[in-house]
C-alpha cells in the first residue's frame, strides 16, 4: 500500500508497463509515527478541516481522520509557521522538516484506475444561498454532521446556532440534470437514495419529531430494494416527497430558510425550514483529468473514462482498466462489482504470471492454551458516539476489570482501526492473554477482523467472543443511557463467562477442484465463462434452451447505440471455439452433491445423463419479460412489448416508417403491488426506441407515458435528446393509469395530463408496453445450491454492498438478471465480478472451512432423522456401515454452524463447537 503518491508517467505495453510514482512529503515519517497526537495538541496553527467539509478546524499538524491508513500524522507546510514545537514533543523522532518528493519506479502488467470523483460545488448557484446562509449545507456536509466521528459527534445540529432542526428540506439535482452555472446535464445516479437515507437517519437521530421533506423532479430509486426503501421511508418514517423543482432558497429570521414552490396541482406554496440540504451530484475533478491525460486514457464529454461498450471496465488504452465513479456516476454495489470486474480482466491479461511474485503470509506459531487458566482481555469500543454517545464506556470498562479471569481491560475510540489492531496484538502477547472479548458492533461484519488479530498474536482464532453493544444495545436503547450502560455490562459479563470456557477449534482443509460450472447461457453467463476460460480454467456452461444468447437475442441496441446482435454473435463464437469451455445447451441440472471445491452434478440432455465435477458454480439464469393482461396486449397486434418492438427493429420492418403516432407506456407490471420493484432498464429502453422511431420517420409523433423517468447516470442524455427530438412526455399516477381501447383505424389511449388536469386522448397506430422483468423463480435450483431467494423471486446476494456477486453459500456466485434487472453493461460487469470472486477459490490448491460446526455423539443418537430433515445444507446423514450404522453424523464441510440441528435434537446427541451447552448455560447464568 503506497499512500500520498501519484502516478507521474506510464510507459510500455500491456503486460509490461513501467510506472513512475511520485511520493509527496508528509514531513512526518509514517514508519516512526505512533499516532499519539502530541504534535497536533501543541501545534498553534489552526486551519479548516477539509475532511469535515469546513465545519470545524484542525491543526497544521494533523491526521485526516480517526481511521486513516496508515495512522500517521502529516504537516501542512503551507500553513506551518516553523515554530518547531511538534519536533520537540515527538518522542519517536518522526518529524522530518527536510522531507522532499521521492520517486520510485514499478514494473506492472496492468493498471486499474479507481480514483473516484468529487462532489459538485454549489457556490456558483446563488439561488440556493449556499455561501450566504450557514444553514444551507451540502449532502456531504450533512453526512459529516450525522457521522459519529464528525464535527458534532453525530448529534443532529444546524451550523448556525448548534440547535437541533425541527424541519429539514432536501433539494435534489443540485449540480446534476442542468447546464446552468457550471452544473452537469447527466444524472449523478446516487442522490435520490442518499437523500432518503439521510432523511431517515436524521429522523432517527433527532430528539424530537422532525419534519423531513425531499423536493425532487423524478425519484430514481431503481436499484435492488431501493423502491421498497423509499416506501418505508414514506410510510414508516414519515418522510415527505414533494415533486417540485425549487427555484430559490430565501433566508429569513434566526437562520431559517423559506422555500417557495408549486405543487403538482400548480398551487403556489411556501414553507419555512430550519435547515436545507443540497443533494449535490458527482463530477470528475481536475487532478483526475490531469492524471488521465498523463496516462493517455481518453475521457468523454462529461470527463468520465471512455470504456468499451461491451466491456464496461476496459478503457480505450489496452492494459488500463477502470472501476467506480471515474467510469460514470454509480452507487456502492455497482462500484464494488466494477472493482471485481476490473480485477477479472486484469487477471485474464496476467494469468500467465499468476503466483510468480506472491509471498505466503507467515503466521506466528499458535500458542497452545490447553491446561492454562483463562486470562481474558476485554476491549470496549466507543465507535464514536454510536456506542459512546449512549453507553458510559468508561463505566463498562471499569466494571469489566472486576470480572472473573479478566486480566486486562481497555477502551478505544475505534477498536476496528488499524492502529488498535496492531496494539491489541501487542497487548495479547505482552499480557499473556489467552482469550479475548471485544465489546463493539456486530460480529457479522467485524468478527473475522478480530479473529485475524488473534492469529497475528499467536492465538487460535476461535478463542474470541464478541459482545454486540451497538446493534443490541446503544442503537435500541438510545433514549435510555442508564439502562443501555447496564445492558452493556450484562452483555460483557455474559461474553466473559462464555470466553472462559472457549477451546481452540481446528478447521478442515479441502482440496480444490479447479473446474467451474456456469448455469445460464445469456450475456452474463457467457461473459463469466469466457473470462474463466481466458484465465486458464475449464468451464462447463449449461443452458436449458437449445441455443446460447438468452434475452440478448431479442435486443436491438444498447443505450449508447451499439448493435447487440453483432456483439452477441462474436461472443457465442468465442465461447464455442474456446477449448476450455464445454457448452451444454438444451440441458437441465438435475442434482447437486458435495460442497465448495468438490461439487458433483448430473446434467440431462435429450434423455442422456452426464456427470460433471467442479469446484465453484456461477448462477446466471437471467430473467424474462412479463406478459401483461392489460392495455389490449394479446388482443390487438398494434400493442406489443418493448422486446417485440426490438424484433421489428432488427427485421427492419418497413411498416414502422408508416406509423404516424406511437405511444409508450412505462411501468407495466412494475412498481405495483404484485411486483413492487422497479425494472431499472425500461425508461432508457423506451426512450432509445422512441428516438429510433423518430430516426425512421422524423414526422412521427411519439408519446411516452411515465410515472418517473429513470434515465440514471449518463443515460440522462437520452432523455434530453428525446425532448429535443420532439418526443412528448406525459406523466400519469398509479391510481389514474392510461386507458386503451381499439378503434378501426387506430388505438384510443386516454391519460390524465398532470399539468392541465384534464384527460388527454391520443389516437395511436402503435403502442409499446415497457413490461416488467420477472425472475424465473427457480426454487429447484435454489434448493440444489442452498441459496436464498427474496419475495420477488430474485436471488439474494451475501451482502448488498460488500458481496453483491456472491452467495453466503461457499463456492457459489451470482450475476446478471437472476440477481436483479439490469442493463447489459451492468450485467457484464457483474459477470466479470462473479468470475473474479470465483477465481479467489479456483486459484488455490486447498481451502479451509470454519471450525464452528456441529458434531454428533453416536452413542446418544436415537436415529430419529429430525436433523437430516431440518438441515438446509444437508450436513447430517446416517452412517451406512460400521458399528454406528444408522446413526447420524455431521459432514463438517457442509455444516454452516447455524445450530438448527443441535436445537432440534431430542436425545442431546448433537453439539455445536464454540456454542456448547456449558458455554451457553454460562451466559444464561450471568444474564
Amino acid at each position: 500500500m503506497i499512500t500520498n503518491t501519484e502516478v507521474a508517467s506510464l510507459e510500455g505495453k500491456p503486460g509490461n508497463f513501467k510506472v513512475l510514482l511520485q511520493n509527496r512529503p508528509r514531513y512526518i515519517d509514517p514508519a516512526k509515527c505512533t499516532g499519539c497526537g502530541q504534535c497536533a495538541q501543541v501545534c498553534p496553527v489552526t486551519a479548516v478541516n477539509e475532511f469535515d467539509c469546513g465545519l470545524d478546524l484542525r491543526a497544521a499538524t494533523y491526521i485526516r481522520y480517526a481511521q486513516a491508513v496508515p495512522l500517521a500524522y502529516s504537516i501542512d507546510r503551507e500553513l506551518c509557521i516553523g515554530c518547531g514545537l511538534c519536533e520537540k514533543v515527538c518522542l519517536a523522532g518522526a518529524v522530518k522538516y527536510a522531507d522532499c518528493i521521492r520517486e520510485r519506479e514499478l514494473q506492472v502488467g496492468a493498471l486499474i484506475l479507481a480514483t473516484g470523483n468529487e462532489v459538485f460545488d454549489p457556490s456558483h448557484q446563488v439561488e440556493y444561498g449556499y455561501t450566504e446562509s450557514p444553514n444551507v449545507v451540502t449532502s456531504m456536509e450533512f453526512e459529516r454532521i450525522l457521522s459519529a466521528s464528525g464535527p458534532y459527534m453525530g448529534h443532529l445540529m444546524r451550523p448556525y446556532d448548534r440547535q437541533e432542526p425541527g424541519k429539514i428540506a432536501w433539494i435534489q439535482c443540485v449540480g446534476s440534470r442542468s447546464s446552468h452555472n457550471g452544473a452537469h446535464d447527466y444524472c449523478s445516479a446516487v442522490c435520490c437514495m442518499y437523500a432518503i437515507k439521510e432523511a431517515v437517519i436524521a429522523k432517527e437521530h433527532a430528539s424530537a419529531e422532525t419534519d423531513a421533506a425531499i423536493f425532487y423532479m423524478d425519484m430514481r430509486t431503481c436499484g435492488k430494494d431501493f423502491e421498497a426503501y423509499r416506501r418505508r421511508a414514506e410510510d414508516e418514517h414519515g418522510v415527505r416527497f414533494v415533486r417540485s423543482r425549487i427555484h430559490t432558497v430565501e433566508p429569513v429570521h434566526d437562520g431559517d430558510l423559506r422555500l417557495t414552490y408549486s405543487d403538482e396541482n400548480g398551487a403556489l406554496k411556501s414553507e419555512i425550514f430550519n435547515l436545507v440540504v443540497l443533494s449535490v451530484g458527482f463530477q470528475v475533478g481536475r487532478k483526475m483529468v490531469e492524471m488521465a491525460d498523463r496516462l493517455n486514457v481518453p475521457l468523454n464529454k462529461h470527463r468520465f473514462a471512455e470504456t468499451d461498450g461491451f466491456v464496461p471496465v476496459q478503457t480505450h488504452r489496452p492494459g488500463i482498466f477502470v472501476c467506480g465513479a471515474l467510469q460514470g456516476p454509480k452507487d456502492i454495489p455497482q462500484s464494488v462489482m466494477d472493482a471485481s470486474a476490473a480485477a477479472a480482466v486484469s487477471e485474464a491479461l496476467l494469468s500467465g504470471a499468476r503466483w510468480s511474485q506472491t509471498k505466503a503470509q507467515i503466521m506466528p506459531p499458535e500458542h497452545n492454551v490447553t491446561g492454562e487458566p483463562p486470562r481474558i482481555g476485554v476491549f470496549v469500543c466507543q465507535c464514536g458516539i454510536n456506542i459512546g454517545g449512549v453507553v458510559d464506556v468508561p463505566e463498562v470498562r471499569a466494571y469489566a476489570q472486576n470480572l472473573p479471569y479478566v486480566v486486562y481491560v481497555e477502551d478505544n475510540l475505534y477498536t476496528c482501526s488499524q492502529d488498535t489492531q496492531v496494539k491489541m496484538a501487542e497487548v495479547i502477547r505482552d499480557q499473556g492473554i489467552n482469550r479475548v472479548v471485544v465489546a463493539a458492533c456486530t460480529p457479522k461484519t467485524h468478527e473475522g477482523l478480530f479473529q485475524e488479530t488473534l492469529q497475528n498474536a499467536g492465538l487460535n482464532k476461535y478463542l474470541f467472543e464478541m459482545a454486540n453493544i451497538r446493534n443490541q444495545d446503544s442503537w435500541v436503547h438510545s433514549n435510555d443511557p442508564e439502562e443501555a450502560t447496564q445492558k452493556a455490562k450484562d452483555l460483557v459479563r455474559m461474553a466473559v463467562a462464555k470466553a472462559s470456557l472457549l477451546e481452540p477449534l481446528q478447521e478442515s482443509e479441502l482440496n480444490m477442484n479447479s473446474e467451474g460450472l456456469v448455469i445460464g447461457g445469456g450475456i452474463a453467463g457467457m461473459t463469466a465463462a469466457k473470462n474463466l476460460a481466458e484465465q486458464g480454467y475449464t468451464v462447463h456452461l449449461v443452458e436449458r434452451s437449445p441455443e446460447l444468447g438468452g434475452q440478448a437475442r431479442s435486443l436491438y441496441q444498447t443505450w449508447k447505440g451499439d448493435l447487440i446482435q453483432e456483439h452477441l454473435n462474436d461472443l457465442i463464437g468465442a465461447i464455442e471455439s474456446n477449448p476450455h469451455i464445454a457448452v451444454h445447451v438444451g440441458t437441465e441440472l438435475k442434482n447437486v452433491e458435495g460442497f465448495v471445491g468438490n461439487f458433483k452434478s448430473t446434467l440431462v440432455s435429450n434423455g442422456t445423463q452426464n456427470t460433471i465435477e467442479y469446484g465453484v458454480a456461477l448462477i446466471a439464469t437471467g430473467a424474462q419479460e412479463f406478459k401483461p393482461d392489460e392495455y389490449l396486449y394479446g388482443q390487438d397486434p398494434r400493442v406489443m412489448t418493448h422486446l417485440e418492438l426490438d424484433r421489428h427493429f432488427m427485421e427492419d420492418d418497413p411498416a414502422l416508417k408508416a406509423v404516424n403516432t406511437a405511444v409508450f407506456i412505462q411501468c407495466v407490471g412494475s412498481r405495483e403491488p404484485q411486483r413492487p420493484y422497479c425494472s431499472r432498464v425500461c425508461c432508457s429502453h423506451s426512450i432509445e426506441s422512441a428516438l429510433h422511431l423518430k430516426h425512421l420517420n422524423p414526422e412521427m409523433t411519439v408519446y411516452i407515458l411515465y410515472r418517473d423517468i429513470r434515465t440514471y447516470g449518463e443515460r440522462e442524455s437520452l432523455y434530453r435528446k428525446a425532448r429535443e427530438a420532439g418526443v412528448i412526455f406525459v406523466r400519469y399516477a398509479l391510481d389514474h393509469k392510461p386507458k386503451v381501447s381499439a378503434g378501426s383505424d387506430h388505438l384510443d389511449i386516454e391519460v390524465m395530463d398532470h399539468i392541465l388536469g384534464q384527460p388527454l386522448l391520443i389516437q395511436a397506430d402503435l403502442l409499446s408496453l415497457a413490461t416488467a422483468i420477472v425472475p424465473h423463480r427457480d426454487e429447484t435450483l435454489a434448493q440444489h445450491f442452498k441459496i436464498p431467494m427474496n419475495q420477488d423471486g430474485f436471488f439474494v446476494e451475501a451482502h448488498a454492498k460488500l458481496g453483491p456477486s456472491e452467495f453466503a453459500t461457499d463456492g457459489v456466485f451470482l450475476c446478471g438478471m437472476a440477481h436483479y434487472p439490469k442493463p447489459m453493461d451492468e450485467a457484464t460487469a457483474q459477470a466479470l465480478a462473479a468470475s473474479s470472486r470465483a477465481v479467489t477459490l479456483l486459484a488455490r490448491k486447498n481451502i479451509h472451512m470454519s471450525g464452528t460446526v456441529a458434531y454428533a455423539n453416536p452413542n446418544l443418537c436415537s436415529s430419529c432423522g429430525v436433523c437430516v430433515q431440518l438441515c438446509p445444507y444437508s450436513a447430517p446423514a446416517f452412517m451406512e456401515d460400521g458399528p454406528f450404522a444408522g446413526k447420524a453424523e455431521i459432514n463438517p464441510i457442509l455444516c454452516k454452524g447455524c445450530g438448527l440441528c443441535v436445537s432440534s435434537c431430542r436425545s442431546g446427541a448433537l453439539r455445536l463447537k464454540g456454542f456448547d451447552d456449558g458455554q451457553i448455560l454460562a451466559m444464561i447464568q450471568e444474564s
Side-chain angles (χ1 to χ4, degrees), residues 98-154:
D99 201 1
C100 58
I101 293 177
R102 294 180 297 277
E103 293 188 343
R104 173 183 177 183
E105 283 190 354
L106 289 179
Q107 296 292 132
V108 300
L111 272 77
I112 297 176
L113 307 181
T115 54
N117 54 30
E118 62 187 26
V119 296
F120 176 76
D121 180 2
S123 299
H124 299 295
Q125 297 198 326
V126 295
E127 63 270 24
Y128 295 130
Y130 174 67
T131 58
E132 301 298 324
S133 173
N135 289 337
V136 178
V137 299
T138 67
S139 48
M140 187 62 75
E141 290 167 351
F142 193 70
E143 289 280 345
R144 297 308 303 150
I145 290 174
L146 292 177
S147 174
S149 62
Y152 307 150
M153 300 301 292

Side-chain angles (χ1 to χ4, degrees), residues 322-382:
V322 65
C323 61
L326 181 61
Q327 193 266 343
K330 61 193 63 177
D331 56 13
I332 291 174
Q334 191 60 45
S335 295
V336 172
M337 290 180 203
D338 284 357
S340 292
V345 289
S346 299
E347 290 161 4
L349 174 64
L350 307 177
S351 59
R354 180 173 281 123
W355 301 121
S356 62
Q357 298 186 39
T358 304
K359 295 182 180 179
Q361 184 179 12
I362 300 176
M363 288 291 186
E366 187 175 297
H367 174 62
N368 185 2
V369 303
T370 304
E372 293 184 358
R375 292 180 56 82
I376 301 174
V378 178
F379 300 84
V380 186
C381 183
Q382 298 177 27

Side-chain angles (χ1 to χ4, degrees), residues 645 648-649 651-662 692-701 765-766:
L645 178 59
H648 285 281
F649 289 153
E651 295 165 1
D652 197 18
D653 187 351
L656 293 178
K657 296 180 181 179
V659 171
N660 293 316
T661 302
H692 189 64
L693 287 175
K694 294 289 284 187
H695 172 73
L696 294 175
N697 179 4
E699 301 303 319
M700 187 185 306
T701 302
D765 307 304
L766 170 68

Side-chain angles (χ1 to χ4, degrees), residues 416-555:
C416 60
S417 64
Q418 183 192 42
D419 64 315
T420 305
Q421 295 298 294
V422 173
K423 181 182 177 182
M424 186 185 296
E426 294 174 353
V427 167
I428 292 170
R429 289 189 292 265
D430 295 343
Q431 299 291 328
I433 293 171
N434 57 23
R435 286 162 181 83
V436 173
V437 171
V438 172
C441 55
T442 169
K444 182 177 181 180
T445 55
H446 286 72
E447 184 178 48
L449 174 68
F450 294 121
Q451 288 182 331
E452 185 178 344
T453 301
L454 264 66
Q455 290 179 296
N456 290 330
L459 282 182
N460 184 281
K461 63 188 284 187
Y462 295 100
L463 298 172
F464 170 78
E465 181 62 21
M466 198 164 181
N468 189 344
I469 62 172
R470 187 191 70 175
N471 303 49
Q472 298 175 358
D473 188 13
S474 65
W475 278 5
V476 292
H477 304 295
S478 58
N479 295 325
D480 196 342
E482 185 175 342
E483 286 297 320
T485 300
Q486 183 58 47
K487 184 174 181 180
K489 294 178 184 178
D490 295 341
L491 291 171
V492 170
R493 184 176 67 253
M494 294 164 65
V496 167
K498 180 186 176 184
S500 66
L501 299 175
L502 291 175
E503 296 294 335
L505 301 180
Q506 302 304 315
E507 297 182 338
S508 302
E509 184 174 277
L510 298 174
N511 293 327
M512 188 73 201
N513 184 320
S514 61
E515 295 188 7
L517 169 68
V518 178
I519 305 174
I523 285 288
M526 288 191 292
T527 299
K530 180 173 178 285
N531 183 262
L532 288 172
E534 288 172 343
Q535 297 191 53
Y537 299 104
T538 298
V539 185
H540 295 274
L541 178 60
V542 176
E543 168 58 40
R544 71 179 75 185
S545 66
E547 58 184 7
L548 298 173
Q551 292 296 322
R553 287 194 170 276
S554 300
L555 293 172

Side-chain angles (χ1 to χ4, degrees), residues 340 395 409 461 491 507 557 578 654 673 706 751 791 854:
S340 292
E395 185 177 331
V409 179
K461 63 188 284 187
L491 291 171
E507 297 182 338
Q557 62 185 18
N578 194 308
Y706 71 100
V751 62
Q791 60 184 3

